[in-house]
Amino acid sequence: MLEKGQRLPESGFGKNLQDIHEHGAECDCGHDPSHGGDGHHHEHEHHHDHKEQGAECGCGHDHAHGEHGAECGYGHDQEEHEAGCGCGHDHAHKEHGAGCGCGHDCGGHHDDPGEHEAECGCGHDHAHGEHEAECGCGHDHSHVSGGHDHDHSQKSHRHTATGRRVVFILENLGCAHCAAKMEERIGELPGVEEAVITYATRQLRVTGENPEAYLQEIQRICTSIESQVIVRRRETAPGGREAKTSRKQNGGEILSHQTAAAASTKEAGEKAHNSKEKRELIKILLGAAFFAAALGLGALDLGPLPVLAVYVIAYVILGGEVLLEAARNISHGQLFDENFLMGIATLGAFAIGEYPEAVGVMLFYRMGEYFEHRAVERSRGQIMDAVDMRPEVVNLVLDEKIQVIPAQEAQVGDVLLIRPGDRIPLDGVILEGESRLDTSPITGEPVPMSVTEGDEVTSGCVNTSGQLKIRVEKPLEESMVTRIMESVENAAASKPRIDRFITRFCKVYTPVVVVLALGTAVVPSLITGNWNYWIYTALTFLVMSCPCALVLSVPLAFFSGIGAGSQKGILFKGGVAMEALSRLQVVVMDKTGTVTEGNFRLQQVISTGTYSEEELLGICASCEQHSTHPIAGSIVAAAAQKGLTLEEPVSLEEIAGHGIEAKLSVGTVLCGNQKLMDTHGIRIEGIESKGQGAEVYLSVNGQLTGFFRISDTIKADAEEAVHRLKKMGLHTVMLTGDSRDSAEAVARETGIDQVYAKLLPQDKLRILTEIREQRGAVMFVGDGINDAPVLAGADVGAAMGSGADAAIEAADAVFMTASVESIPQSISIARSASRIAVQNVVFALVIKVAVMILGLAGFANMWMAVFADTGVAMLCVMNSIRILYKK
């Protein structure tokens, strides 16, 4: 839980990742500040002594811990440095060199992720520099999407296209199978490197040198496949809202012609869509009325012509558009589409005198299509509503007056009013007021967080109590709510293996069923002479030959899973990542920042002499008060909680790799690790290490007076989360650069099965590879900069949202809550999505095959065939969205 005043986790979306070492020309170290461009650190001839300089380092640059060659001076393991070294500079943590000086084994040099670049050897630029064991494929890599096309170390890589990517919106797209055809043909255009259509969001992503130049050709292709489709470039923020426009002020009035036009266009589009749905429903009802009338006339025995006339009228009302669309598609070379197949089937029924069957099947088909589209729209809306928290308008404070303006017009520096119950619209800082925020829409954390003046707030959170005024720090397109939306849309465009398989399968399925229908009509008829019966049976096959249920249900299942994850603060970077999560055998976790909080707290003060615990704490805190080291900070914080008054040392010396020697009123004080005590001949006897954390010893005038136990805090949900992972049949492992005693103590308390301690980053990658070879697919969860290579090397890499940007970018999933519970939650959602996708495919195929067999046996009719097409598609849609409601 975040404490009052603590910054909300940014999940890597809003943070600036500092360079590992930013020495410029003024460093005077005599080396190239770029580190030679090869990803390796230069050894500076004049090493900076980090601990001795502290805040007075004076070099004016950010430092990567290990590059100073100096020694930290504290008694704990390097892995626990994550909260901050204390040297007064910004560090890429875990980068301590061999001379860390913290008094414990830091494991030597920790690799910077960039160092992997030199090892790759493929000669191309990499997104993170964290090639798994020498990819050598000769392409650029990006792990942002989580989707890849070829296999390296059992983890798929998707090679990012080198051209520009433009997103188009396909309005009126209503057929998933047609979308797959469009995607294939657009991807074949010369100059187009990649084309991906996401049916769930109606987005077309085209990558190439100049994608806009293909707009007319793309429109022609889409219209030739589905005539109602309109292609336009998305000039909007994710999800379809218009991009930010300029704001003009005229006598206090906000003018927004562009926004008004956009709103008008949006409203017109919604009206047109609703009007189309009404027309569809009216035609269905009118056609049903004429169909009922024809059945009634048939019962009155008025002769064949009046009955036939009414059947024809009913058929034209219901099937006229279907036949026209089929004719248009045939003129564009699209033969085996749904309209053509349904037209042939029902006209064939007319030809053999099955008038009620022809009209009834067309009625059932139109009803099925209507409800299928409604189900798709509803499910799409539910998923988008679950993840789209962007505001339409905001309350702008101008001269103590409130102006309601479109959210995209809010600018950095604007002051917004947030009333109780309102959602925080944009990322900002509180200027006035106190309240409690419900952060669960962003982080999944159920406990409200207290905020007050000066605190940063993240868009998407809900203000539950007091009124707030915030200053906008990021516009809408850069705020958290938009970045989450972008993440979901990008994830939806990353297609899992089963989706790509279904696309390939359907290219074969439809022609095979059509050929089978033709064979069924001709061969048995030639043998038996019963042409009517076998033609009718063949027509039922044609009705079922459209694979829409298959093409639609798989991506919708994964899209629902992506939406369900975002509700819980879990951002999946694609269907590929979810598919891989569902097949896991082992979960491997980093310790600091993943299983533990990554902060240090004073756990125990033990007196071994005449001083009381409070006196010992006061003496030690007096020595540590000017250090920003996390160990020192924990001691000073404990003294402040007890209200102790600290003394200013007469003199103070930091001894690299050992600790502090200071002169106080009580005499000469030594504060540090066992090495410091041994150096000064101070004997330590009868003190047993508790394993987790570190001991800081205190001596006064050459006598050991006591010691302090300081350790990182295990996350409150760690034990329960590990237990859930075991119940799911997963083996748990912890990899850490920390000492074995400390690591094993954490493992015992949480129930983790296996521990590897005192590891370097390259050791983690090597051990992870060994675990995969022994046990199968591996997920790695970490948060540090040096975790990026391991995240990229795992079958699934997951990053804690509070961690470093490099780790988050390299990951396939991001846990914005930074909670251990997110690990089993993500696996559960992924398993559900994969299971439902398989259920949909199996269900659709079984029903279709069963109806075909029943048709051959004489027990099925065209009504059952329509159900096997549109009815099954609707059931698959409804099955897909139940992930959103799973507890």
Side-chain angles (χ1 to χ4, degrees):
M1 185 179 89
L2 298 174
E3 301 295 336
K4 180 176 180 179
Q6 186 177 345
R7 184 173 179 172
L8 282 167
E10 292 188 328
S11 304
F13 289 119
K15 300 180 287 186
N16 294 321
L17 179 63
Q18 299 295 328
D19 290 335
I20 299 302
H21 200 290
E22 296 187 357
H23 273 60
E26 52 276 271
C27 175
D28 292 331
C29 65
H31 292 276
D32 185 352
S34 69
H35 300 188
D38 58 2
H40 294 290
H41 303 300
H42 283 297
E43 287 293 322
H44 288 201
E45 293 180 5
H46 67 294
H47 295 294
H48 298 278
D49 190 333
H50 233 138
K51 192 61 192 172
E52 290 178 7
Q53 288 179 337
E56 293 84 28
C57 171
C59 69
H61 301 279
D62 292 350
H63 300 239
H65 239 24
E67 295 202 310
H68 276 51
E71 300 173 68
C72 176
Y74 272 98
H76 61 88
D77 189 277
Q78 168 57 24
E79 183 82 3
E80 298 179 314
H81 274 263
E82 286 223 52
C85 167
C87 62
H89 299 278
D90 187 16
H91 301 269
H93 245 340
K94 305 182 185 176
E95 307 254 352
H96 270 286
C100 170
C102 60
H104 288 262
D105 183 5
C106 293
H109 287 286
H110 293 261
D111 288 346
D112 173 60
E115 293 182 35
H116 285 254
E117 218 163 289
E119 298 170 11
C120 166
C122 70
H124 293 270
D125 183 21
H126 301 137
H128 312 294
E130 71 277 286
H131 252 327
E132 298 88 350
E134 304 203 14
C135 167
C137 60
H139 295 272
D140 290 353
H141 297 120
S142 172
H143 297 283
V144 177
S145 70
H148 316 292
D149 286 336
H150 70 280
D151 205 346
H152 281 302
S153 302
Q154 299 185 16
K155 179 178 180 177
S156 312
H157 280 277
R158 180 175 185 156
H159 291 297
T160 302
T162 56
R164 290 177 54 244
R165 185 171 72 181
V166 174
V167 179
F168 298 95
I169 302 299
L170 305 181
E171 295 179 355
N172 303 322
L173 180 65
C175 171
H177 184 43
C178 298
K181 293 180 184 177
M182 294 174 194
E183 179 181 282
E184 182 182 11
R185 289 185 55 184
I186 294 168
E188 292 172 351
L189 291 174
V192 172
E193 297 178 34
E194 184 182 43
V196 178
I197 293 179
T198 308
Y199 182 72
T201 59
R202 294 198 184 99
Q203 290 184 359
L204 163 64
R205 293 163 184 257
V206 179
T207 304
E209 290 184 4
N210 185 17
E212 294 96 333
Y214 297 94
L215 180 58
Q216 289 186 349
E217 185 66 17
I218 291 170
Q219 178 67 72
R220 186 192 66 77
I221 290 172
C222 293
T223 306
S224 70
I225 296 172
E226 195 172 356
S227 62
Q228 306 95 328
V229 172
I230 300 172
V231 183
R232 64 175 176 84
R233 180 173 176 182
R234 188 182 74 178
E235 301 289 352
T236 62
R241 297 183 186 171
E242 294 301 321
K244 179 179 176 181
T245 59
S246 60
R247 187 174 78 227
K248 300 178 182 179
Q249 298 186 21
N250 183 12
E253 183 179 0
I254 306 298
L255 301 178
S256 181
H257 302 297
Q258 293 177 354
T259 303
S264 176
T265 302
K266 180 181 176 182
E267 185 178 350
E270 289 177 352
K271 285 182 178 179
H273 178 74
N274 293 335
S275 176
K276 182 181 177 182
E277 278 200 345
K278 286 180 181 178
R279 287 198 305 271
E280 288 290 310
L281 186 58
I282 289 171
K283 287 180 181 178
I284 291 171
L285 294 175
L286 191 60
F290 274 93
F291 178 54
L295 291 174
L297 289 174
L300 295 176
D301 196 20
L302 298 177
L305 288 179
V307 175
L308 177 59
V310 177
Y311 275 128
V312 169
I313 293 171
Y315 183 81
V316 170
I317 293 171
L318 293 168
E321 285 188 9
V322 173
L323 297 178
L324 287 174
E325 186 67 22
R328 278 195 294 264
N329 290 342
I330 290 171
S331 68
H332 293 126
Q334 295 294 322
L335 186 61
F336 295 117
D337 77 317
E338 191 171 29
N339 296 289
F340 173 76
L341 294 169
M342 185 57 63
I344 289 295
T346 51
L347 288 175
F350 257 108
I352 61 175
E354 297 287 345
Y355 312 132
E357 194 87 354
V359 178
V361 164
M362 184 61 78
L363 173 62
F364 193 19
Y365 168 72
R366 292 297 298 273
M367 289 176 62
E369 286 284 290
Y370 176 80
F371 287 113
E372 179 189 330
H373 288 162
R374 288 292 299 268
V376 171
E377 289 298 322
R378 182 175 176 80
S379 62
R380 181 189 281 122
Q382 287 175 316
I383 296 167
M384 298 303 284
D385 288 345
V387 298
D388 191 359
M389 297 171 285
R390 291 166 302 145
E392 293 281 358
V393 296
V394 296
N395 298 315
L396 177 70
V397 179
L398 282 177
D399 301 326
E400 300 304 319
K401 294 182 180 179
I402 306 300
Q403 298 280 354
V404 178
I405 65 169
Q408 63 266 26
E409 293 191 359
Q411 301 168 3
V412 173
D414 283 349
V415 178
L416 306 180
L417 178 68
I418 315 296
R419 299 184 177 94
D422 287 351
R423 194 183 295 276
I424 304 296
L426 306 170
D427 295 359
V429 174
I430 296 176
L431 298 179
E432 183 181 312
E434 292 184 2
S435 186
R436 294 177 69 80
L437 297 184
D438 175 11
T439 64
S440 60
I442 297 296
T443 67
E445 172 60 52
V447 181
M449 183 191 71
S450 298
V451 291
T452 187
E453 292 180 18
D455 289 344
E456 295 185 2
V457 291
T458 301
S459 54
C461 300
V462 178
N463 181 27
T464 62
S465 52
Q467 184 167 284
L468 300 173
K469 286 184 180 178
I470 69 167
R471 182 182 65 244
V472 176
E473 295 293 308
K474 294 178 183 177
L476 179 62
E477 61 265 27
E478 297 176 15
S479 286
M480 177 64 75
V481 288
T482 300
R483 292 182 180 273
I484 289 174
M485 194 68 212
E486 286 176 340
S487 176
V488 170
E489 290 182 349
N490 289 335
S494 172
K495 299 184 178 182
R497 241 179 245 173
I498 187 173
D499 195 355
R500 296 196 296 269
F501 164 75
I502 288 298
T503 301
R504 293 193 300 268
F505 173 78
C506 290
K507 290 179 184 178
V508 178
Y509 170 80
T510 299
V512 166
V513 175
V514 171
V515 170
L516 183 62
L518 184 61
T520 302
V522 175
V523 176
S525 299
L526 291 173
I527 297 172
T528 65
N530 191 353
W531 287 88
N532 277 12
Y533 173 79
W534 291 111
I535 289 175
Y536 179 83
T537 303
L539 294 177
T540 65
F541 283 18
L542 286 179
V543 173
M544 289 183 290
S545 61
C546 184
C548 270
L550 296 170
V551 179
L552 172 65
S553 59
V554 171
L556 195 58
F558 282 97
F559 190 45
S560 297
I562 291 167
S566 69
Q567 287 180 311
K568 294 177 170 60
I570 300 167
L571 296 183
F572 297 104
K573 293 188 179 178
V576 172
M578 296 182 71
E579 203 170 40
L581 271 168
S582 68
R583 299 193 300 265
L584 287 180
Q585 301 297 321
V586 185
V587 174
V588 179
M589 295 165 278
D590 181 35
K591 182 177 81 70
T592 307
T594 301
V595 181
T596 64
E597 297 285 359
N599 58 8
F600 294 96
R601 291 184 183 177
L602 179 62
Q603 305 292 343
Q604 194 176 15
V605 181
I606 298 98
S607 175
T608 59
T610 58
Y611 290 97
S612 68
E613 292 181 6
E614 283 197 1
E615 288 172 330
L616 288 174
L617 182 58
I619 294 169
C620 190
S622 295
C623 297
E624 304 281 15
Q625 61 183 307
H626 297 300
S627 175
T628 56
H629 191 284
I631 287 283
S634 67
I635 294 172
V636 174
Q641 285 181 350
K642 291 182 176 293
L644 302 181
T645 302
L646 304 186
E647 179 183 347
E648 191 68 34
V650 176
S651 65
L652 184 145
E653 179 187 2
E654 295 192 18
I655 304 170
H658 294 72
I660 294 174
E661 181 177 352
K663 290 190 181 299
L664 299 175
S665 59
V666 295
T668 300
V669 178
L670 296 174
C671 176
N673 58 21
Q674 186 170 349
K675 292 180 183 179
L676 180 65
M677 301 297 118
D678 292 343
T679 301
H680 288 77
I682 299 170
R683 299 181 64 183
I684 298 175
E685 296 178 346
I687 299 175
E688 295 182 4
S689 174
K690 293 290 186 180
Q692 185 184 349
E695 284 81 27
V696 176
Y697 300 96
L698 187 71
S699 76
V700 178
N701 296 324
Q703 296 294 321
L704 182 68
T705 56
F707 64 96
F708 304 81
R709 284 201 172 104
I710 297 164
S711 66
D712 196 355
T713 308
I714 295 175
K715 290 183 177 178
D717 62 345
E719 185 178 0
E720 176 61 27
V722 171
H723 178 68
R724 278 192 64 188
L725 290 172
K726 289 184 174 182
K727 286 182 67 176
M728 297 168 80
L730 297 167
H731 183 71
T732 54
V733 180
M734 186 169 70
L735 306 183
T736 178
D738 203 350
S739 66
R740 176 158 293 279
D741 288 344
S742 179
E744 288 181 346
V746 172
R748 280 194 303 271
E749 188 166 338
T750 57
I752 291 173
D753 297 318
Q754 196 173 0
V755 175
Y756 294 86
K758 300 180 72 172
L759 301 176
L760 304 180
Q762 59 266 36
D763 295 331
K764 291 182 180 181
L765 186 56
R766 173 180 55 80
I767 290 172
L768 183 136
T769 303
E770 292 174 358
I771 292 171
R772 177 196 286 121
E773 291 173 353
Q774 294 168 4
R775 294 183 174 271
V778 175
M779 175 189 193
F780 180 80
V781 187
D783 75 327
I785 286 177
N786 70 342
D787 289 332
V790 200
L791 287 166
D795 294 278
V796 181
M800 291 295 177
S802 57
D805 283 7
I808 290 169
E809 290 300 308
D812 299 302
V814 178
F815 302 146
M816 298 175 66
T817 60
S819 67
V820 190
E821 183 62 28
S822 295
I823 303 173
Q825 281 181 343
S826 66
I827 297 170
S828 177
I829 291 170
R831 285 183 174 181
S832 293
S834 296
R835 186 167 56 248
I836 287 173
V838 172
Q839 285 173 359
N840 288 343
V841 171
V842 172
F843 176 65
L845 286 177
V846 166
I847 293 298
K848 285 177 180 290
V849 171
V851 173
M852 287 182 188
I853 294 172
L854 289 172
L856 289 171
F859 297 106
N861 53 30
M862 289 177 64
W863 295 76
M864 292 178 66
V866 174
F867 171 77
D869 179 32
T870 58
V872 168
M874 188 166 57
L875 291 176
C876 287
V877 169
M878 295 171 66
N879 188 41
S880 297
I881 64 171
R882 66 187 175 90
I883 307 174
L884 291 171
Y885 306 101
K886 186 176 180 181
K887 298 294 183 182

